[in-house]
Amino acid sequence: MNRKNKFWDITNRPSTKTKLQILRKCFDVWITIWNKQNWIDNELYVIDLFAGRGKYLDNQKEVSGSPLIFLEVIFNKIEKLKTKNHKIKIFLVEKAKINFKELKNNLEDFISKNRELKEIVSVIYFNSDCNEAIENIIKDLKNTTKAPCFIFIDPTGLQIKKETLEKIVELKNPKDILLNYILEGVRRTSGVLKKKVNSEKNLTIRDLKTVETLKEFIGDDENLINLNDREMLGYYVKIFTSNGLKVVGYDMKYSDRNDILYYLLFASRKLSITNIVKDIFSKQKEEMLGTTLFGGKEFYKKEIFSVSFNEFSIIERKSLLYKTEVEYGDWTINHIIGCKHGCKFPCYAMMMAKKFGWVKNYEDWRRPRITKNYFDILEKEIPKYKNQIDFVHLCFMTDPFMYDIERGTLIEPIKETTLNIIERLNKDGIKVTTLTKGIYPEDLLDYKRFSRKNEHGITLVSLNEDFKKEFEPFSSPYKDRIASLKKLADNGLNTWVSMEPYPTPDLDKTAENIEETLEQISFVKKIIFGKLNYRRLFENTTMYNMKWRNNVEFYEEMVKKLIDFCKKRNIVYHIKLGTPMSMKNTINIFKEQKDVRK
């Protein structure tokens, strides 16, 4: 095999050169960011589903393809990676046998010349179709939120099936995906499908295979052939966005005409990461096209294709910060309307939302609306109210870290919005308290981003799964909720628990065993306790045909046990007004930094 045939020649293919430059920059950022995180496992993953031969020719000089780019970036940062004891598994898939042979030769040659790589890198090769290899790759991954994964997908057309992409985006791993969406290939394939619809007789065997390829991706919905380029792109993008990923896209044009050749799509759960990549894209545009009369990088940045999570409705608000009347509160923000947890105590927040016409019914309440313009509002309101605020609570009318029980994860757009709000408040020295029936993200351990004065709490009124199934059907599992809070406490953050509304044995047969619940949260610094309003339960639900009872004796017994427990463990507590043995002098439990016990 001569030199020219051994490697693909990209001398006259600026699009490929641009793609490789972007890949190198994105992967470099990815490695740098994850190597700074102390909470992740030591194993990181890189997946290249169309690895090719590993090298190209450019003006008769050998240049690195994607697999070698990964190794080169890793090698340049090897000392820092070794310091953190990181290990990197690289999965390379190449279907063509001749390409696969050259791929292995090129990578083994590079590793042999840079032996240090063997200490932290292992390469697993697959000489097969990516749609078949993906199952074996997934089996070899730690499918956990602590094992980051970088995925590069560079097909020549529709060689990757929709179900393969879905398997990738459904992984629990933090995923950053770079996908080359070949617009030309999609157009051609869609064109053949249109041809099929119009006339079966004009199709060649190759045409029939092309039709099957498209059907494998979009299914049998032939209405999709009428979509324009942007709409078809949106169909692909939805695979990412419906799983909570944000997407930005670099539009690469033909060198000789003003038409899109491909979109290089980057998908990530973190808005901060997609913003970094957006910056990379815009710089690349400026390098290629130069500074315009309208500006340089910032001009191109506005043109970058960008799509976020679209499962939830977006609303605009006129204000966010307000002083609450809740007895232990100060100021608060409710940046979401609705709550996917759908608790059935009944929920006071849902009743108020229905009263004011914000939601129609229970099902509507469980479809959260996220405030789109929250940052702009805070930029105006924080300077205005800053001197009046002791702390801001998130949230009294919704949940700041909402859990998706079907996916077993936090709802990413809500989490990111909440984290951004906390960060913005902390920037001006404003303490934040949070309360959730979801789980806490480990992002909060970033002390450079968030204040250590913040106080994070969970609602926990039982450990009984039967009670949870009936009254908190869609909230996070108790054990996960507690574990996420303990993780924060173990890392030096302030934690607390709201034991409200605490049920009686009529609703939870284990309610008398409050000691068991308290033992599970003995690590927290503060506890707030409040009784369940049985009158409200009776008036607002048909679930129970019972007379309202005051249950004074039961609650007095529970409060005594709680106070005794807290005193022994030096835990600060507040018994809510209206509950037997309530305490007015502990109302300011979050304002005062002194012992507020009786």
Side-chain angles (χ1 to χ4, degrees):
M1 179 185 295
N2 62 40
R3 183 182 179 86
K4 189 173 182 179
N5 291 330
K6 191 173 182 180
F7 305 126
W8 292 313
D9 196 327
I10 60 170
T11 303
N12 298 313
R13 292 172 63 184
S15 59
T16 302
K17 297 176 191 179
T18 296
K19 176 176 61 184
L20 294 174
Q21 289 169 0
I22 288 174
L23 172 64
R24 186 181 293 275
K25 292 173 183 177
C26 289
F27 186 65
D28 189 283
V29 168
W30 185 83
I31 282 284
T32 301
I33 289 175
W34 285 115
N35 195 48
K36 291 180 180 178
Q37 309 306 311
N38 295 320
W39 57 270
I40 63 173
D41 288 343
N42 70 331
E43 194 164 84
L44 286 73
Y45 303 114
V46 178
I47 302 172
D48 189 342
L49 294 181
F50 298 88
R53 301 181 183 184
K55 287 186 179 181
Y56 296 98
L57 277 182
D58 183 12
N59 288 311
Q60 298 302 308
K61 292 181 180 180
E62 294 179 13
V63 294
S64 298
S66 55
L68 282 175
I69 286 174
F70 296 137
L71 290 181
E72 288 166 358
V73 172
I74 292 168
F75 185 73
N76 289 336
K77 300 179 183 295
I78 198 161
E79 293 306 320
K80 291 181 179 179
L81 290 165
K82 284 164 68 175
T83 300
K84 291 294 186 72
N85 197 31
H86 280 141
K87 306 294 182 184
I88 303 175
K89 273 189 177 181
I90 302 179
F91 300 91
L92 301 177
V93 182
E94 177 51 49
K95 183 177 180 180
K97 289 183 178 179
I98 188 169
N99 295 343
F100 183 77
K101 181 181 178 181
E102 291 301 323
L103 172 68
K104 286 195 72 175
N105 289 340
N106 289 323
L107 263 71
E108 288 170 3
D109 180 57
F110 184 87
I111 293 172
S112 68
K113 292 176 181 176
N114 302 278
R115 294 183 177 276
E116 246 186 313
L117 281 169
K118 290 184 178 181
E119 297 178 36
I120 66 169
V121 173
S122 59
V123 183
I124 299 95
Y125 300 91
F126 293 88
N127 183 199
S128 64
D129 184 280
C130 72
N131 301 294
E132 298 169 1
I134 195 64
E135 287 291 347
N136 290 322
I137 293 173
I138 290 174
K139 287 177 184 176
D140 207 3
L141 296 176
K142 290 180 184 175
N143 191 6
T144 168
T145 56
K146 295 185 177 182
C149 190
F150 186 94
I151 302 124
F152 183 48
I153 306 170
D154 186 20
T156 56
L158 288 170
Q159 296 167 327
I160 185 166
K161 297 179 181 178
K162 180 182 179 183
E163 63 184 44
T164 303
L165 284 178
E166 288 173 337
K167 287 174 184 175
I168 291 169
V169 299
E170 287 169 4
L171 288 168
K172 292 180 181 177
N173 308 69
K175 300 168 291 293
D176 294 283
I177 304 168
L178 193 61
L179 166 68
N180 189 13
Y181 173 83
I182 305 293
L183 184 59
E184 180 190 41
V186 176
R187 282 174 178 164
R188 176 171 45 80
T189 308
S190 301
V192 173
L193 184 55
K194 290 177 183 178
K195 183 178 174 183
K196 173 185 178 296
V197 171
N198 294 329
S199 176
E200 289 278 357
K201 295 180 181 179
N202 294 332
L203 292 183
T204 64
I205 293 175
R206 183 179 178 182
D207 287 341
L208 289 169
K209 288 182 178 179
T210 302
V211 169
E212 289 308 309
T213 300
L214 185 59
K215 281 192 173 184
E216 283 178 343
F217 190 84
I218 67 173
D220 290 322
D221 187 359
E222 293 185 348
N223 291 326
L224 291 173
I225 66 173
N226 297 315
L227 299 181
N228 60 35
D229 289 342
R230 194 76 169 194
E231 289 169 332
M232 183 63 84
L233 173 63
Y235 187 85
Y236 276 66
V237 168
K238 191 176 180 181
I239 296 171
F240 301 122
T241 57
S242 62
N243 281 274
L245 301 177
K246 287 86 175 169
V247 179
V248 292
Y250 183 98
D251 57 318
M252 183 66 201
K253 295 184 178 180
Y254 286 92
S255 58
D256 57 346
R257 66 179 193 263
N258 189 30
D259 193 12
I260 305 298
L261 171 62
Y262 67 70
Y263 284 98
L264 201 56
L265 303 175
F266 184 89
S268 177
R269 280 203 179 277
K270 287 185 172 291
L271 182 63
S272 57
I273 300 299
T274 52
N275 282 340
I276 291 172
V277 173
K278 199 171 184 179
D279 199 53
I280 290 172
F281 285 175
S282 57
K283 285 181 180 177
Q284 188 70 31
K285 285 277 188 184
E286 186 178 20
E287 287 176 17
M288 285 189 65
L289 304 175
T291 303
T292 72
L293 293 172
F294 305 101
K297 184 190 73 174
E298 292 306 314
F299 167 76
Y300 293 115
K301 201 169 187 177
K302 294 175 183 177
E303 304 299 315
I304 298 298
F305 172 75
S306 180
V307 180
S308 292
F309 194 54
N310 59 5
E311 184 174 328
F312 299 98
S313 299
I314 301 296
I315 57 172
E316 289 203 9
R317 300 273 289 275
K318 293 183 179 179
S319 63
L320 280 176
L321 272 167
Y322 69 94
K323 193 167 181 63
T324 178
E325 297 299 319
V326 175
E327 65 190 61
Y328 61 84
D330 185 41
W331 286 66
T332 190
I333 290 175
N334 297 301
H335 50 290
I336 308 145
I337 292 178
C339 180
K340 204 170 178 67
H341 293 162
C343 297
K344 299 180 178 179
F345 287 106
C347 174
Y348 175 77
M350 183 185 72
M351 293 191 311
M352 290 297 99
K354 288 170 66 176
K355 179 180 178 180
F356 292 116
W358 298 339
V359 298
K360 298 176 183 177
N361 49 38
Y362 178 75
E363 289 72 25
D364 195 28
W365 170 252
R366 289 199 61 237
R367 289 190 287 267
R369 288 88 158 154
I370 305 172
T371 301
K372 177 182 179 181
N373 57 331
Y374 69 91
F375 195 81
D376 292 336
I377 295 173
L378 291 181
E379 287 297 304
K380 296 176 182 177
E381 291 186 339
I382 289 175
K384 182 178 179 181
Y385 300 121
K386 179 181 175 181
N387 294 333
Q388 304 173 43
I389 298 172
D390 197 327
F391 68 92
V392 174
H393 180 73
L394 306 177
C395 308
F396 285 120
M397 291 288 289
T398 187
D399 195 298
F401 292 106
M402 220 171 284
Y403 188 77
D404 188 330
I405 200 165
E406 294 175 356
R407 293 192 176 105
T409 59
L410 288 175
I411 298 172
E412 195 68 19
I414 292 176
K415 182 197 86 171
E416 287 297 323
T417 301
T418 297
L419 290 175
N420 290 338
I421 289 174
I422 296 173
E423 182 180 19
R424 181 62 190 86
L425 290 166
N426 287 169
K427 182 180 177 182
D428 270 64
I430 300 172
K431 185 180 86 171
V432 175
T433 63
T434 59
L435 182 64
T436 185
K437 289 182 184 175
I439 56 176
Y440 278 106
E442 292 180 343
D443 304 64
L444 290 168
L445 301 179
D446 185 345
Y447 301 139
K448 292 181 180 179
R449 187 179 177 192
F450 304 107
S451 170
R452 298 189 67 143
K453 292 182 180 180
N454 297 335
E455 302 189 47
H456 303 292
I458 59 169
T459 297
L460 188 73
V461 297
S462 178
L463 299 174
N464 181 3
E465 291 298 327
D466 290 334
F467 174 82
K468 180 187 180 303
K469 191 179 296 183
E470 190 157 11
F471 286 95
E472 297 181 20
F474 306 109
S475 62
S476 68
Y478 291 142
K479 61 180 180 62
D480 294 348
R481 201 182 305 178
I482 297 168
S484 74
L485 190 69
K486 191 171 190 306
K487 179 83 176 209
L488 299 188
D490 289 345
N491 282 274
L493 298 190
N494 302 310
T495 56
W496 65 288
V497 169
S498 171
M499 300 185 74
E500 183 207 9
Y502 196 82
T504 65
D506 295 301
L507 301 182
D508 180 2
K509 62 183 180 181
T510 70
E512 290 179 301
N513 303 324
I514 191 172
E515 299 94 336
E516 292 183 12
T517 303
L518 290 170
E519 284 295 337
Q520 292 294 313
I521 57 172
S522 60
F523 57 88
V524 303
K525 293 185 176 181
K526 298 176 182 178
I527 297 176
I528 293 176
F529 183 89
K531 74 180 186 70
L532 175 66
N533 189 326
Y534 268 72
R535 187 185 301 279
R536 185 181 294 155
L537 176 68
F538 180 69
E539 290 174 352
N540 289 278
T541 182
T542 58
M543 292 168 59
Y544 297 95
N545 183 17
M546 60 167 71
K547 290 183 179 180
W548 171 63
R549 290 181 291 170
N550 204 15
N551 294 298
V552 173
E553 291 182 4
F554 170 76
Y555 281 117
E556 283 183 349
E557 182 184 354
M558 295 303 102
V559 171
K560 288 176 182 177
K561 287 182 177 181
L562 182 139
I563 292 174
D564 182 58
F565 180 87
C566 289
K567 285 183 175 179
K568 287 179 180 178
R569 288 161 178 79
N570 200 31
I571 297 172
V572 177
Y573 53 84
H574 170 59
I575 310 304
K576 286 196 68 178
L577 303 183
T579 301
M581 302 179 67
S582 62
M583 300 173 177
K584 289 185 178 180
N585 67 318
T586 58
I587 284 177
N588 293 325
I589 188 169
F590 293 116
K591 286 188 179 182
E592 300 178 2
Q593 298 301 313
K594 62 182 181 180
D595 194 330
V596 293
R597 296 172 294 168
K598 264 190 173 180

